[in-house]
mmCIF file with all atom_site columns, all heavy atoms in Angstrom:
data_model
loop_
_atom_site.group_PDB
_atom_site.id
_atom_site.type_symbol
_atom_site.label_atom_id
_atom_site.label_alt_id
_atom_site.label_comp_id
_atom_site.label_asym_id
_atom_site.label_entity_id
_atom_site.label_seq_id
_atom_site.pdbx_PDB_ins_code
_atom_site.Cartn_x
_atom_site.Cartn_y
_atom_site.Cartn_z
_atom_site.occupancy
_atom_site.B_iso_or_equiv
_atom_site.pdbx_formal_charge
_atom_site.auth_seq_id
_atom_site.auth_comp_id
_atom_site.auth_asym_id
_atom_site.auth_atom_id
_atom_site.pdbx_PDB_model_num
ATOM   1   N  N   . GLN O 1 74  ? 8.098   11.764  1.843   1.00 0.00 ? 302  GLN O N   1
ATOM   2   C  CA  . GLN O 1 74  ? 7.719   12.872  2.709   1.00 0.00 ? 302  GLN O CA  1
ATOM   3   C  C   . GLN O 1 74  ? 8.972   13.211  3.684   1.00 0.00 ? 302  GLN O C   1
ATOM   4   O  O   . GLN O 1 74  ? 8.740   13.743  4.799   1.00 0.00 ? 302  GLN O O   1
ATOM   5   C  CB  . GLN O 1 74  ? 6.504   12.664  3.588   1.00 0.00 ? 302  GLN O CB  1
ATOM   6   C  CG  . GLN O 1 74  ? 5.360   11.976  2.892   1.00 0.00 ? 302  GLN O CG  1
ATOM   7   C  CD  . GLN O 1 74  ? 4.575   12.839  1.902   1.00 0.00 ? 302  GLN O CD  1
ATOM   8   O  OE1 . GLN O 1 74  ? 4.545   14.065  2.057   1.00 0.00 ? 302  GLN O OE1 1
ATOM   9   N  NE2 . GLN O 1 74  ? 4.155   12.227  0.854   1.00 0.00 ? 302  GLN O NE2 1
ATOM   10  N  N   . HIS O 1 166 ? -1.479  2.817   6.467   1.00 0.00 ? 394  HIS O N   1
ATOM   11  C  CA  . HIS O 1 166 ? -0.945  3.065   5.148   1.00 0.00 ? 394  HIS O CA  1
ATOM   12  C  C   . HIS O 1 166 ? -1.451  2.101   4.132   1.00 0.00 ? 394  HIS O C   1
ATOM   13  O  O   . HIS O 1 166 ? -1.583  0.891   4.455   1.00 0.00 ? 394  HIS O O   1
ATOM   14  C  CB  . HIS O 1 166 ? 0.633   3.053   5.168   1.00 0.00 ? 394  HIS O CB  1
ATOM   15  C  CG  . HIS O 1 166 ? 1.215   3.294   3.825   1.00 0.00 ? 394  HIS O CG  1
ATOM   16  N  ND1 . HIS O 1 166 ? 2.032   2.323   3.230   1.00 0.00 ? 394  HIS O ND1 1
ATOM   17  C  CD2 . HIS O 1 166 ? 1.059   4.268   2.919   1.00 0.00 ? 394  HIS O CD2 1
ATOM   18  C  CE1 . HIS O 1 166 ? 2.361   2.810   2.010   1.00 0.00 ? 394  HIS O CE1 1
ATOM   19  N  NE2 . HIS O 1 166 ? 1.816   3.941   1.848   1.00 0.00 ? 394  HIS O NE2 1
ATOM   20  N  N   . GLY O 1 168 ? -4.329  0.920   1.024   1.00 0.00 ? 396  GLY O N   1
ATOM   21  C  CA  . GLY O 1 168 ? -5.766  0.858   0.962   1.00 0.00 ? 396  GLY O CA  1
ATOM   22  C  C   . GLY O 1 168 ? -6.262  -0.183  1.997   1.00 0.00 ? 396  GLY O C   1
ATOM   23  O  O   . GLY O 1 168 ? -5.683  -1.247  2.075   1.00 0.00 ? 396  GLY O O   1
ATOM   24  N  N   . LYS O 1 170 ? -8.649  -3.228  3.087   1.00 0.00 ? 398  LYS O N   1
ATOM   25  C  CA  . LYS O 1 170 ? -9.137  -4.328  2.177   1.00 0.00 ? 398  LYS O CA  1
ATOM   26  C  C   . LYS O 1 170 ? -10.410 -4.903  2.742   1.00 0.00 ? 398  LYS O C   1
ATOM   27  O  O   . LYS O 1 170 ? -10.608 -4.996  3.945   1.00 0.00 ? 398  LYS O O   1
ATOM   28  C  CB  . LYS O 1 170 ? -8.024  -5.362  2.135   1.00 0.00 ? 398  LYS O CB  1
ATOM   29  C  CG  . LYS O 1 170 ? -6.706  -4.851  1.621   1.00 0.00 ? 398  LYS O CG  1
ATOM   30  C  CD  . LYS O 1 170 ? -6.752  -4.443  0.072   1.00 0.00 ? 398  LYS O CD  1
ATOM   31  C  CE  . LYS O 1 170 ? -5.704  -3.435  -0.365  1.00 0.00 ? 398  LYS O CE  1
ATOM   32  N  NZ  . LYS O 1 170 ? -4.326  -3.991  -0.273  1.00 0.00 ? 398  LYS O NZ  1
ATOM   33  N  N   . ARG O 1 183 ? 1.436   1.104   9.731   1.00 0.00 ? 411  ARG O N   1
ATOM   34  C  CA  . ARG O 1 183 ? 2.867   0.952   9.466   1.00 0.00 ? 411  ARG O CA  1
ATOM   35  C  C   . ARG O 1 183 ? 3.591   0.236   10.582  1.00 0.00 ? 411  ARG O C   1
ATOM   36  O  O   . ARG O 1 183 ? 4.622   -0.380  10.378  1.00 0.00 ? 411  ARG O O   1
ATOM   37  C  CB  . ARG O 1 183 ? 3.451   2.356   9.235   1.00 0.00 ? 411  ARG O CB  1
ATOM   38  C  CG  . ARG O 1 183 ? 3.032   2.925   7.872   1.00 0.00 ? 411  ARG O CG  1
ATOM   39  C  CD  . ARG O 1 183 ? 4.064   4.011   7.460   1.00 0.00 ? 411  ARG O CD  1
ATOM   40  N  NE  . ARG O 1 183 ? 3.640   4.793   6.295   1.00 0.00 ? 411  ARG O NE  1
ATOM   41  C  CZ  . ARG O 1 183 ? 4.255   4.775   5.114   1.00 0.00 ? 411  ARG O CZ  1
ATOM   42  N  NH1 . ARG O 1 183 ? 5.272   3.958   4.928   1.00 0.00 ? 411  ARG O NH1 1
ATOM   43  N  NH2 . ARG O 1 183 ? 3.811   5.534   4.152   1.00 0.00 ? 411  ARG O NH2 1
ATOM   44  N  N   . ARG O 1 208 ? 4.150   -3.193  5.481   1.00 0.00 ? 436  ARG O N   1
ATOM   45  C  CA  . ARG O 1 208 ? 3.907   -2.487  4.224   1.00 0.00 ? 436  ARG O CA  1
ATOM   46  C  C   . ARG O 1 208 ? 2.406   -2.447  3.906   1.00 0.00 ? 436  ARG O C   1
ATOM   47  O  O   . ARG O 1 208 ? 1.821   -1.408  3.749   1.00 0.00 ? 436  ARG O O   1
ATOM   48  C  CB  . ARG O 1 208 ? 4.634   -3.193  3.088   1.00 0.00 ? 436  ARG O CB  1
ATOM   49  C  CG  . ARG O 1 208 ? 6.092   -2.958  3.050   1.00 0.00 ? 436  ARG O CG  1
ATOM   50  C  CD  . ARG O 1 208 ? 6.403   -1.569  2.831   1.00 0.00 ? 436  ARG O CD  1
ATOM   51  N  NE  . ARG O 1 208 ? 6.419   -1.177  1.373   1.00 0.00 ? 436  ARG O NE  1
ATOM   52  C  CZ  . ARG O 1 208 ? 6.592   -0.003  0.932   1.00 0.00 ? 436  ARG O CZ  1
ATOM   53  N  NH1 . ARG O 1 208 ? 6.737   1.026   1.802   1.00 0.00 ? 436  ARG O NH1 1
ATOM   54  N  NH2 . ARG O 1 208 ? 6.511   0.233   -0.370  1.00 0.00 ? 436  ARG O NH2 1
ATOM   55  N  N   . ASN O 1 209 ? 1.825   -3.600  3.759   1.00 0.00 ? 437  ASN O N   1
ATOM   56  C  CA  . ASN O 1 209 ? 0.394   -3.598  3.378   1.00 0.00 ? 437  ASN O CA  1
ATOM   57  C  C   . ASN O 1 209 ? -0.186  -4.968  3.595   1.00 0.00 ? 437  ASN O C   1
ATOM   58  O  O   . ASN O 1 209 ? 0.530   -5.910  4.087   1.00 0.00 ? 437  ASN O O   1
ATOM   59  C  CB  . ASN O 1 209 ? 0.207   -3.229  1.955   1.00 0.00 ? 437  ASN O CB  1
ATOM   60  C  CG  . ASN O 1 209 ? 0.514   -4.376  0.933   1.00 0.00 ? 437  ASN O CG  1
ATOM   61  O  OD1 . ASN O 1 209 ? 1.341   -5.182  1.204   1.00 0.00 ? 437  ASN O OD1 1
ATOM   62  N  ND2 . ASN O 1 209 ? -0.272  -4.357  -0.138  1.00 0.00 ? 437  ASN O ND2 1
ATOM   63  N  N   . TYR O 1 259 ? -0.559  -8.638  -2.873  1.00 0.00 ? 487  TYR O N   1
ATOM   64  C  CA  . TYR O 1 259 ? -1.898  -8.374  -3.458  1.00 0.00 ? 487  TYR O CA  1
ATOM   65  C  C   . TYR O 1 259 ? -2.611  -9.737  -3.716  1.00 0.00 ? 487  TYR O C   1
ATOM   66  O  O   . TYR O 1 259 ? -1.989  -10.730 -3.909  1.00 0.00 ? 487  TYR O O   1
ATOM   67  C  CB  . TYR O 1 259 ? -1.788  -7.525  -4.781  1.00 0.00 ? 487  TYR O CB  1
ATOM   68  C  CG  . TYR O 1 259 ? -1.197  -6.239  -4.608  1.00 0.00 ? 487  TYR O CG  1
ATOM   69  C  CD1 . TYR O 1 259 ? 0.108   -6.011  -4.989  1.00 0.00 ? 487  TYR O CD1 1
ATOM   70  C  CD2 . TYR O 1 259 ? -1.878  -5.148  -3.973  1.00 0.00 ? 487  TYR O CD2 1
ATOM   71  C  CE1 . TYR O 1 259 ? 0.735   -4.740  -4.793  1.00 0.00 ? 487  TYR O CE1 1
ATOM   72  C  CE2 . TYR O 1 259 ? -1.279  -3.946  -3.754  1.00 0.00 ? 487  TYR O CE2 1
ATOM   73  C  CZ  . TYR O 1 259 ? 0.026   -3.728  -4.132  1.00 0.00 ? 487  TYR O CZ  1
ATOM   74  O  OH  . TYR O 1 259 ? 0.667   -2.564  -4.006  1.00 0.00 ? 487  TYR O OH  1
ATOM   75  N  N   . HIS O 1 362 ? 4.109   5.814   -7.763  1.00 0.00 ? 590  HIS O N   1
ATOM   76  C  CA  . HIS O 1 362 ? 3.704   5.320   -6.400  1.00 0.00 ? 590  HIS O CA  1
ATOM   77  C  C   . HIS O 1 362 ? 3.021   4.039   -6.693  1.00 0.00 ? 590  HIS O C   1
ATOM   78  O  O   . HIS O 1 362 ? 2.072   3.949   -7.465  1.00 0.00 ? 590  HIS O O   1
ATOM   79  C  CB  . HIS O 1 362 ? 2.826   6.334   -5.721  1.00 0.00 ? 590  HIS O CB  1
ATOM   80  C  CG  . HIS O 1 362 ? 2.278   5.861   -4.380  1.00 0.00 ? 590  HIS O CG  1
ATOM   81  N  ND1 . HIS O 1 362 ? 0.959   5.575   -4.127  1.00 0.00 ? 590  HIS O ND1 1
ATOM   82  C  CD2 . HIS O 1 362 ? 2.944   5.640   -3.176  1.00 0.00 ? 590  HIS O CD2 1
ATOM   83  C  CE1 . HIS O 1 362 ? 0.797   5.185   -2.907  1.00 0.00 ? 590  HIS O CE1 1
ATOM   84  N  NE2 . HIS O 1 362 ? 1.990   5.236   -2.337  1.00 0.00 ? 590  HIS O NE2 1
ATOM   85  N  N   . ARG O 1 411 ? -7.062  8.259   -10.632 1.00 0.00 ? 639  ARG O N   1
ATOM   86  C  CA  . ARG O 1 411 ? -8.298  7.523   -10.379 1.00 0.00 ? 639  ARG O CA  1
ATOM   87  C  C   . ARG O 1 411 ? -9.354  7.916   -11.423 1.00 0.00 ? 639  ARG O C   1
ATOM   88  O  O   . ARG O 1 411 ? -9.348  9.008   -11.938 1.00 0.00 ? 639  ARG O O   1
ATOM   89  C  CB  . ARG O 1 411 ? -8.878  7.843   -8.965  1.00 0.00 ? 639  ARG O CB  1
ATOM   90  C  CG  . ARG O 1 411 ? -8.011  7.367   -7.877  1.00 0.00 ? 639  ARG O CG  1
ATOM   91  C  CD  . ARG O 1 411 ? -8.133  5.863   -7.680  1.00 0.00 ? 639  ARG O CD  1
ATOM   92  N  NE  . ARG O 1 411 ? -7.214  5.317   -6.724  1.00 0.00 ? 639  ARG O NE  1
ATOM   93  C  CZ  . ARG O 1 411 ? -6.107  4.694   -6.897  1.00 0.00 ? 639  ARG O CZ  1
ATOM   94  N  NH1 . ARG O 1 411 ? -5.646  4.510   -8.187  1.00 0.00 ? 639  ARG O NH1 1
ATOM   95  N  NH2 . ARG O 1 411 ? -5.391  4.192   -5.948  1.00 0.00 ? 639  ARG O NH2 1
ATOM   96  N  N   . HIS O 1 457 ? -5.440  12.406  -3.904  1.00 0.00 ? 685  HIS O N   1
ATOM   97  C  CA  . HIS O 1 457 ? -6.231  11.124  -3.744  1.00 0.00 ? 685  HIS O CA  1
ATOM   98  C  C   . HIS O 1 457 ? -7.729  11.206  -4.008  1.00 0.00 ? 685  HIS O C   1
ATOM   99  O  O   . HIS O 1 457 ? -8.477  11.699  -3.153  1.00 0.00 ? 685  HIS O O   1
ATOM   100 C  CB  . HIS O 1 457 ? -6.005  10.512  -2.379  1.00 0.00 ? 685  HIS O CB  1
ATOM   101 C  CG  . HIS O 1 457 ? -6.461  9.068   -2.306  1.00 0.00 ? 685  HIS O CG  1
ATOM   102 N  ND1 . HIS O 1 457 ? -7.727  8.693   -2.027  1.00 0.00 ? 685  HIS O ND1 1
ATOM   103 C  CD2 . HIS O 1 457 ? -5.775  7.911   -2.525  1.00 0.00 ? 685  HIS O CD2 1
ATOM   104 C  CE1 . HIS O 1 457 ? -7.816  7.331   -2.103  1.00 0.00 ? 685  HIS O CE1 1
ATOM   105 N  NE2 . HIS O 1 457 ? -6.654  6.882   -2.404  1.00 0.00 ? 685  HIS O NE2 1
ATOM   106 N  N   . VAL O 1 498 ? -5.981  11.122  4.335   1.00 0.00 ? 726  VAL O N   1
ATOM   107 C  CA  . VAL O 1 498 ? -4.888  10.550  3.490   1.00 0.00 ? 726  VAL O CA  1
ATOM   108 C  C   . VAL O 1 498 ? -5.479  9.803   2.281   1.00 0.00 ? 726  VAL O C   1
ATOM   109 O  O   . VAL O 1 498 ? -5.054  9.934   1.173   1.00 0.00 ? 726  VAL O O   1
ATOM   110 C  CB  . VAL O 1 498 ? -4.065  9.573   4.357   1.00 0.00 ? 726  VAL O CB  1
ATOM   111 C  CG1 . VAL O 1 498 ? -3.006  8.844   3.449   1.00 0.00 ? 726  VAL O CG1 1
ATOM   112 C  CG2 . VAL O 1 498 ? -3.434  10.299  5.502   1.00 0.00 ? 726  VAL O CG2 1
ATOM   113 N  N   . TYR O 1 501 ? -12.023 5.234   0.371   1.00 0.00 ? 729  TYR O N   1
ATOM   114 C  CA  . TYR O 1 501 ? -12.195 4.036   -0.371  1.00 0.00 ? 729  TYR O CA  1
ATOM   115 C  C   . TYR O 1 501 ? -13.661 3.659   -0.373  1.00 0.00 ? 729  TYR O C   1
ATOM   116 O  O   . TYR O 1 501 ? -14.329 3.602   0.669   1.00 0.00 ? 729  TYR O O   1
ATOM   117 C  CB  . TYR O 1 501 ? -11.352 2.886   0.365   1.00 0.00 ? 729  TYR O CB  1
ATOM   118 C  CG  . TYR O 1 501 ? -9.899  3.363   0.595   1.00 0.00 ? 729  TYR O CG  1
ATOM   119 C  CD1 . TYR O 1 501 ? -9.615  3.988   1.833   1.00 0.00 ? 729  TYR O CD1 1
ATOM   120 C  CD2 . TYR O 1 501 ? -8.970  3.220   -0.334  1.00 0.00 ? 729  TYR O CD2 1
ATOM   121 C  CE1 . TYR O 1 501 ? -8.336  4.538   2.032   1.00 0.00 ? 729  TYR O CE1 1
ATOM   122 C  CE2 . TYR O 1 501 ? -7.682  3.716   -0.119  1.00 0.00 ? 729  TYR O CE2 1
ATOM   123 C  CZ  . TYR O 1 501 ? -7.389  4.320   1.059   1.00 0.00 ? 729  TYR O CZ  1
ATOM   124 O  OH  . TYR O 1 501 ? -6.093  4.834   1.245   1.00 0.00 ? 729  TYR O OH  1
ATOM   125 N  N   . SER O 1 514 ? -7.758  1.354   -7.080  1.00 0.00 ? 742  SER O N   1
ATOM   126 C  CA  . SER O 1 514 ? -6.834  0.291   -6.735  1.00 0.00 ? 742  SER O CA  1
ATOM   127 C  C   . SER O 1 514 ? -7.515  -0.878  -6.137  1.00 0.00 ? 742  SER O C   1
ATOM   128 O  O   . SER O 1 514 ? -8.711  -0.674  -5.620  1.00 0.00 ? 742  SER O O   1
ATOM   129 C  CB  . SER O 1 514 ? -5.833  0.829   -5.725  1.00 0.00 ? 742  SER O CB  1
ATOM   130 O  OG  . SER O 1 514 ? -6.580  1.234   -4.588  1.00 0.00 ? 742  SER O OG  1
HETATM 131 FE FE1 . DHE J 2 .   ? 1.922   4.710   -0.224  1.00 0.00 ? 1073 DHE J FE1 1
HETATM 132 C  C1  . DHE J 2 .   ? -0.680  2.680   -1.118  1.00 0.00 ? 1073 DHE J C1  1
HETATM 133 C  C2  . DHE J 2 .   ? 4.077   2.212   -0.992  1.00 0.00 ? 1073 DHE J C2  1
HETATM 134 C  C3  . DHE J 2 .   ? 4.577   6.802   0.413   1.00 0.00 ? 1073 DHE J C3  1
HETATM 135 C  C4  . DHE J 2 .   ? -0.282  7.128   0.814   1.00 0.00 ? 1073 DHE J C4  1
HETATM 136 N  N1  . DHE J 2 .   ? 1.758   2.834   -0.961  1.00 0.00 ? 1073 DHE J N1  1
HETATM 137 C  C5  . DHE J 2 .   ? 0.549   2.169   -1.169  1.00 0.00 ? 1073 DHE J C5  1
HETATM 138 C  C6  . DHE J 2 .   ? 0.891   0.885   -1.556  1.00 0.00 ? 1073 DHE J C6  1
HETATM 139 C  C7  . DHE J 2 .   ? 2.175   0.685   -1.518  1.00 0.00 ? 1073 DHE J C7  1
HETATM 140 C  C8  . DHE J 2 .   ? 2.730   1.943   -1.156  1.00 0.00 ? 1073 DHE J C8  1
HETATM 141 C  C9  . DHE J 2 .   ? 3.017   -0.625  -1.780  1.00 0.00 ? 1073 DHE J C9  1
HETATM 142 C  C10 . DHE J 2 .   ? -0.193  -0.216  -1.888  1.00 0.00 ? 1073 DHE J C10 1
HETATM 143 C  C11 . DHE J 2 .   ? -0.668  -0.810  -0.643  1.00 0.00 ? 1073 DHE J C11 1
HETATM 144 C  C12 . DHE J 2 .   ? -2.093  -1.398  -0.731  1.00 0.00 ? 1073 DHE J C12 1
HETATM 145 O  O1  . DHE J 2 .   ? -3.039  -0.557  -0.964  1.00 0.00 ? 1073 DHE J O1  1
HETATM 146 O  O2  . DHE J 2 .   ? -2.300  -2.576  -0.554  1.00 0.00 ? 1073 DHE J O2  1
HETATM 147 N  N2  . DHE J 2 .   ? 3.967   4.568   -0.347  1.00 0.00 ? 1073 DHE J N2  1
HETATM 148 C  C13 . DHE J 2 .   ? 4.660   3.488   -0.714  1.00 0.00 ? 1073 DHE J C13 1
HETATM 149 C  C14 . DHE J 2 .   ? 6.067   3.775   -0.799  1.00 0.00 ? 1073 DHE J C14 1
HETATM 150 O  O3  . DHE J 2 .   ? 6.963   2.961   -1.162  1.00 0.00 ? 1073 DHE J O3  1
HETATM 151 C  C15 . DHE J 2 .   ? 6.247   5.189   -0.474  1.00 0.00 ? 1073 DHE J C15 1
HETATM 152 C  C16 . DHE J 2 .   ? 6.681   5.924   -1.755  1.00 0.00 ? 1073 DHE J C16 1
HETATM 153 C  C17 . DHE J 2 .   ? 7.337   5.421   0.598   1.00 0.00 ? 1073 DHE J C17 1
HETATM 154 C  C18 . DHE J 2 .   ? 6.930   4.914   1.866   1.00 0.00 ? 1073 DHE J C18 1
HETATM 155 O  O4  . DHE J 2 .   ? 6.999   5.716   2.847   1.00 0.00 ? 1073 DHE J O4  1
HETATM 156 O  O5  . DHE J 2 .   ? 6.548   3.714   2.082   1.00 0.00 ? 1073 DHE J O5  1
HETATM 157 C  C19 . DHE J 2 .   ? 4.875   5.590   -0.112  1.00 0.00 ? 1073 DHE J C19 1
HETATM 158 N  N3  . DHE J 2 .   ? 2.121   6.626   0.543   1.00 0.00 ? 1073 DHE J N3  1
HETATM 159 C  C20 . DHE J 2 .   ? 3.261   7.262   0.734   1.00 0.00 ? 1073 DHE J C20 1
HETATM 160 C  C21 . DHE J 2 .   ? 3.069   8.622   1.237   1.00 0.00 ? 1073 DHE J C21 1
HETATM 161 O  O6  . DHE J 2 .   ? 3.968   9.387   1.597   1.00 0.00 ? 1073 DHE J O6  1
HETATM 162 C  C22 . DHE J 2 .   ? 1.611   8.821   1.323   1.00 0.00 ? 1073 DHE J C22 1
HETATM 163 C  C23 . DHE J 2 .   ? 1.143   9.955   0.344   1.00 0.00 ? 1073 DHE J C23 1
HETATM 164 C  C24 . DHE J 2 .   ? 1.059   9.258   2.779   1.00 0.00 ? 1073 DHE J C24 1
HETATM 165 C  C25 . DHE J 2 .   ? 1.226   8.157   3.760   1.00 0.00 ? 1073 DHE J C25 1
HETATM 166 O  O7  . DHE J 2 .   ? 0.149   7.908   4.426   1.00 0.00 ? 1073 DHE J O7  1
HETATM 167 O  O8  . DHE J 2 .   ? 2.263   7.535   3.930   1.00 0.00 ? 1073 DHE J O8  1
HETATM 168 C  C26 . DHE J 2 .   ? 1.056   7.463   0.888   1.00 0.00 ? 1073 DHE J C26 1
HETATM 169 N  N4  . DHE J 2 .   ? -0.086  4.840   -0.135  1.00 0.00 ? 1073 DHE J N4  1
HETATM 170 C  C27 . DHE J 2 .   ? -0.754  5.992   0.311   1.00 0.00 ? 1073 DHE J C27 1
HETATM 171 C  C28 . DHE J 2 .   ? -2.239  5.714   0.100   1.00 0.00 ? 1073 DHE J C28 1
HETATM 172 C  C29 . DHE J 2 .   ? -2.353  4.454   -0.453  1.00 0.00 ? 1073 DHE J C29 1
HETATM 173 C  C30 . DHE J 2 .   ? -1.010  3.948   -0.598  1.00 0.00 ? 1073 DHE J C30 1
HETATM 174 C  C31 . DHE J 2 .   ? -3.328  6.730   0.476   1.00 0.00 ? 1073 DHE J C31 1
HETATM 175 C  C32 . DHE J 2 .   ? -3.660  3.761   -0.871  1.00 0.00 ? 1073 DHE J C32 1
HETATM 176 C  C33 . DHE J 2 .   ? -4.021  4.213   -2.213  1.00 0.00 ? 1073 DHE J C33 1
HETATM 177 C  C34 . DHE J 2 .   ? -5.319  3.570   -2.783  1.00 0.00 ? 1073 DHE J C34 1
HETATM 178 O  O9  . DHE J 2 .   ? -6.209  4.372   -3.239  1.00 0.00 ? 1073 DHE J O9  1
HETATM 179 O  O10 . DHE J 2 .   ? -5.437  2.381   -2.682  1.00 0.00 ? 1073 DHE J O10 1
#
Side-chain angles (χ1 to χ4, degrees):
Q302 323 286 326
H394 177 239
K398 300 293 160 63
R411 288 205 189 244
R436 286 295 278 176
N437 80 326
Y487 298 104
H590 175 247
R639 293 288 174 258
H685 197 273
V726 177
Y729 311 89
S742 60

